[in-house]
Amino acid sequence: MLKTQELQLNIGPQHPSTHGVFRLIATIDGETVIDLKPVFGYLHRNHEQIAEVSTYIQIMPFTDRLDYFNSMANNFGYALAVEKLAGIEVPQRANYIRVLMAELTRILNHAAAIGFMLNDMGAWQTPLAFGMREREKILDLFEMASGARMMCNYFRFGGIWRDLPPEFLPQLQGLMQGLPTFFDEFERLLKQNEILLGRSVDVGILPKEVAASYSVTGPMLRASGIAYDLRRADGYSVYPELDFDIPVGAVGDVYDRFLVRLAEMRESYRILQQVIERLPETTGGHINPAMASMNKQKSLRPPPGDAYGRVESPKGELGFYLVSDGSDTPYRYKVRAPSFINLTPLGDMCRGHTVADVVVILGSIDIVMGEVDR
Amino acid sequence: MASWSTDDLKAALARDLPGVLAAYLPPQLSAPAEPRKKGAQAPVDLLSTQDALIHPHCIADVARYLRDTHSYTLLTNLTAVDYLRDNVIELVYHFARVDGGVLTVKTRVPREAPTLPSLAPTWPGADFQEREAYDLYGVIFQGHQNLRRIYMWDEFEGFPMRKDFPKQGDKYIGEGE
């Protein structure tokens, strides 16, 4: 038997496949990974402490910067937590617009996530360009509604900043017409691709029970076969009125995560169809009249107490834990970031695989360092 | 089985795990308060809570009980909160069930000796979250295999999210220069 020697390999912090400033210390034996330790904190800016000296509405634009792909979903989670804390009602129309934005976010995130994962597999840029093309169209819609493409800052306590402009829905209809073609095209391009199958089937398996014990959420947990989706489990906003399925995987490998993301985009499309159909008949304005003025937003002082609000962000459960002491700044503000906790099982998933697989497994988790490091 | 309310949780804990629930003692509100924030009302009793409050050494038992007996399988969130005036650090655990429902369990440790059992050995999802609470608040989780700083660099001194950590100036710049 050949005598081998263990070697420590540093991947990152600056490496194209680490999705940001992120470092992996891999102990390898030949090409096989024996142990893997993620190291992060390079982007740590103490977001939570900044929040403790900001008023509630001042934090809203900061949440955009957590997971900068899904600013709308972050806004949603934060608005939900504050509304729970302060007991603010949201009108029906505002809720529908919120869901519309959240589902558009999900489509753009998954399209980009799959693209980046294939980048990591070596399909350099081509699949990503397909995803990015659709993302661009959705970002145009965000810009139309909120004025910004990525840092939307669109949500307010009790509703949203302003109603959709009149040209929004026609352009959304145009996008919707193209989406099924995009899904089919994306799927045809990738689903049966020999190289993708070879690189992803039975790679990075996360069994059901292990996934649950690791508190993994989002597409990763669903790919492991647990149908846990906060849109169904919590039924927040108007999701109970909408009809959609929760796609689950069978094995929990990288290929399942890819399939779950593809299927979730189609489910989001279904939700969008229902929302667009019902939007003209919704009641109430875009914001609760009691909270409509900017002064009301600025001077919000929730009663003392705590609240935990959570939404199904495209990456998993995004939670905000808030403690109020009755003043205009939160006493404690904590973000339960899905990418951060989804990283916990990375070492276990990579053990026994090759270094090249580590990159693919990391890509399949879909992390954003802005959220991991906060 | 429908998801539990806070009262259900407290009743179940009192029934099945006698002795884990801690009593809430109202603090001395006449004690000198920290400087009030602008616009704040009279000092607020921040520690009063309706949630289940347990003794810190029971946390592992409670967690195991919720997971194994009542299928709250996901330890969703773990937060530390520093109550400087009352001299305690509160740990807030959120347990979630796959079919819906989330439970809040709170426990309190003194600020000078914030020590309690770790959940990481049986619940690996707590690993990074406990390291975060250690890094930012200095809470020691006994039994954690790798309780090191996670965001700050290893040589960093102090716990930056504690309320008495200086908010302005950089104590590292200018020292010894």
Side-chain angles (χ1 to χ4, degrees):
Chain A
M1 178 130 176
L2 199 65
K3 192 166 180 287
T4 57
Q5 195 181 5
E6 285 181 12
L7 178 79
Q8 280 221 335
L9 179 73
N10 252 314
I11 309 174
Q14 297 288 352
H15 193 275
S17 67
T18 52
H19 296 249
V21 198
F22 177 58
R23 178 175 159 213
L24 294 161
I25 305 174
T27 311
I28 53 174
D29 184 356
E31 268 288 307
T32 316
V33 175
I34 301 169
D35 193 29
L36 189 88
K37 283 197 185 72
V39 179
F40 38 84
Y42 298 96
L43 280 184
H44 182 57
R45 54 210 182 270
N46 228 345
H47 171 68
E48 291 174 2
Q49 193 162 55
I50 296 171
E52 285 179 8
V53 292
S54 312
T55 60
Y56 284 89
I57 193 67
Q58 279 176 334
I59 302 170
M60 188 65 87
F62 282 143
T63 60
D64 290 339
R65 275 95 182 148
L66 285 172
D67 174 357
Y68 39 80
F69 264 86
N70 312 314
S71 58
M72 291 283 194
N74 302 343
N75 284 179
F76 201 170
Y78 178 61
L80 219 65
V82 175
E83 280 153 12
K84 207 169 158 186
L85 187 67
I88 302 169
E89 295 283 320
V90 184
Q92 196 194 16
R93 181 170 174 83
N95 260 326
Y96 269 96
I97 297 176
R98 283 178 169 195
V99 168
L100 179 85
M101 293 302 176
E103 295 308 317
L104 281 174
T105 303
R106 202 177 312 278
I107 293 178
L108 81 82
N109 178 76
H110 287 352
I114 294 173
F116 279 121
M117 189 176 89
L118 277 128
N119 246 9
D120 293 343
M121 288 181 186
W124 194 240
Q125 302 294 353
T126 307
L128 181 63
F130 278 79
M132 283 297 188
R133 189 188 61 200
E134 292 315 302
R135 175 170 176 266
E136 212 56 32
K137 293 176 191 161
I138 296 174
L139 289 183
D140 285 346
L141 285 171
F142 285 175
E143 186 175 13
M144 197 183 272
S146 75
R149 283 155 47 84
M150 289 179 77
M151 304 294 134
C152 297
N153 188 17
Y154 187 53
F155 287 47
R156 294 289 178 274
F157 311 131
I160 48 173
W161 171 50
R162 62 168 195 184
D163 211 330
L164 300 174
E167 63 274 24
F168 185 91
L169 280 177
Q171 188 161 337
L172 177 61
Q173 296 281 13
L175 172 78
M176 292 286 285
Q177 277 171 5
L179 276 178
T181 328
F182 161 66
F183 298 147
D184 293 340
E185 184 185 51
F186 213 36
E187 206 171 298
R188 210 172 53 240
L189 178 70
L190 303 172
K191 205 171 176 180
Q192 297 302 325
N193 184 302
E194 183 85 30
I195 299 172
L196 186 137
L197 288 171
R199 292 297 303 275
S200 66
V201 173
D202 289 336
V203 172
I205 295 179
L206 193 64
K208 217 175 182 174
E209 290 74 27
V210 181
S213 74
Y214 269 114
S215 312
V216 164
T217 46
M220 267 186 84
L221 184 67
R222 292 192 280 276
S224 295
I226 299 179
Y228 179 60
D229 189 321
L230 294 181
R231 293 175 291 174
R232 190 58 56 73
D234 271 14
Y236 60 92
S237 197
V238 286
Y239 282 112
E241 299 167 22
L242 300 166
D243 177 35
F244 61 97
D245 294 326
I246 304 173
V248 289
V251 200
D253 56 5
V254 173
Y255 189 59
D256 270 347
R257 280 170 218 144
F258 159 77
L259 291 182
V260 162
R261 289 205 174 94
L262 270 183
E264 274 184 19
M265 285 201 284
R266 289 187 191 272
E267 291 306 319
S268 289
Y269 176 77
R270 265 178 74 195
I271 296 177
L272 284 175
Q273 278 180 319
Q274 297 166 46
V275 169
I276 294 171
E277 194 181 307
R278 292 181 202 176
L279 204 54
E281 288 120 52
T282 49
T283 54
H286 68 284
I287 193 163
N288 186 339
M291 293 300 292
S293 83
M294 196 56 211
N295 268 336
K296 277 274 164 34
Q297 300 273 342
K298 278 185 196 163
S299 60
L300 179 73
R301 286 194 173 83
D306 62 343
Y308 180 61
R310 50 184 201 161
V311 290
E312 184 70 32
S313 119
K315 294 185 164 59
E317 172 179 342
L318 175 69
F320 289 87
Y321 179 71
L322 291 164
V323 180
S324 164
D325 60 354
S327 71
D328 55 356
T329 66
Y331 187 79
R332 172 79 167 110
Y333 162 92
K334 147 103 187 186
V335 186
R336 187 256 188 233
S339 338
F340 170 58
I341 292 165
N342 287 358
L343 266 181
T344 326
L346 180 67
D348 266 13
M349 283 196 291
C350 292
R351 208 158 286 135
H353 288 293
T354 59
V355 177
D357 286 339
V358 169
V359 172
V360 176
I361 294 169
L362 182 66
S364 76
I365 302 179
D366 182 18
I367 57 164
V368 160
M369 291 318 287
E371 190 178 59
V372 175
D373 285 348
R374 297 198 294 293
Chain B
M1 192 165 65
S3 66
W4 279 1
S5 70
T6 310
D7 293 331
D8 294 337
L9 169 67
K10 282 197 268 194
L13 286 180
R15 187 182 64 236
D16 294 335
L17 296 173
V20 300
L21 281 175
Y24 163 64
L25 299 168
Q28 301 293 314
L29 277 183
S30 55
E34 62 192 281
R36 252 182 252 169
K37 284 182 193 168
K38 192 182 156 208
Q41 303 298 308
V44 190
D45 177 12
L46 284 172
L47 289 187
S48 75
T49 178
Q50 296 300 311
D51 292 310
L53 185 66
I54 60 163
H55 290 294
H57 60 87
C58 306
I59 181 66
D61 295 335
V62 172
R64 216 172 291 124
Y65 166 73
L66 288 177
R67 179 180 68 178
D68 298 341
T69 322
H70 299 289
S71 61
Y72 279 85
T73 41
L74 292 156
L75 169 61
T76 288
N77 184 31
L78 192 165
T79 313
V81 191
D82 182 13
Y83 292 106
L84 178 64
R85 194 187 61 201
D86 305 288
N87 205 26
V88 293
I89 288 181
E90 183 175 78
L91 277 302
V92 186
Y93 295 79
H94 288 101
F95 295 95
R97 233 168 54 182
V98 169
D99 52 353
V102 55
L103 288 180
T104 312
V105 174
K106 292 181 175 175
T107 184
R108 285 167 188 167
V109 287
R111 280 184 98 243
E112 307 83 50
T115 308
L116 75 163
S118 166
L119 292 187
T122 46
W123 223 315
D127 184 351
F128 283 4
Q129 307 199 56
E130 287 184 350
R131 278 178 68 187
E132 187 188 350
Y134 164 71
D135 189 4
L136 304 178
Y137 284 92
V139 183
I140 312 280
F141 294 93
Q142 284 168 330
H144 194 293
Q145 293 297 312
N146 185 25
L147 196 64
R148 291 190 303 118
R149 290 198 176 270
I150 190 163
Y151 287 138
M152 312 307 288
W153 54 102
D154 286 344
E155 298 79 22
F156 189 85
E157 284 170 24
F159 303 108
M161 282 290 282
R162 284 200 178 194
K163 289 279 178 186
D164 53 358
F165 191 85
K167 286 225 174 21
Q168 286 190 333
D170 189 335
K171 58 175 185 165
Y172 300 96
I173 295 175
E175 257 180 8
E177 282 173 14

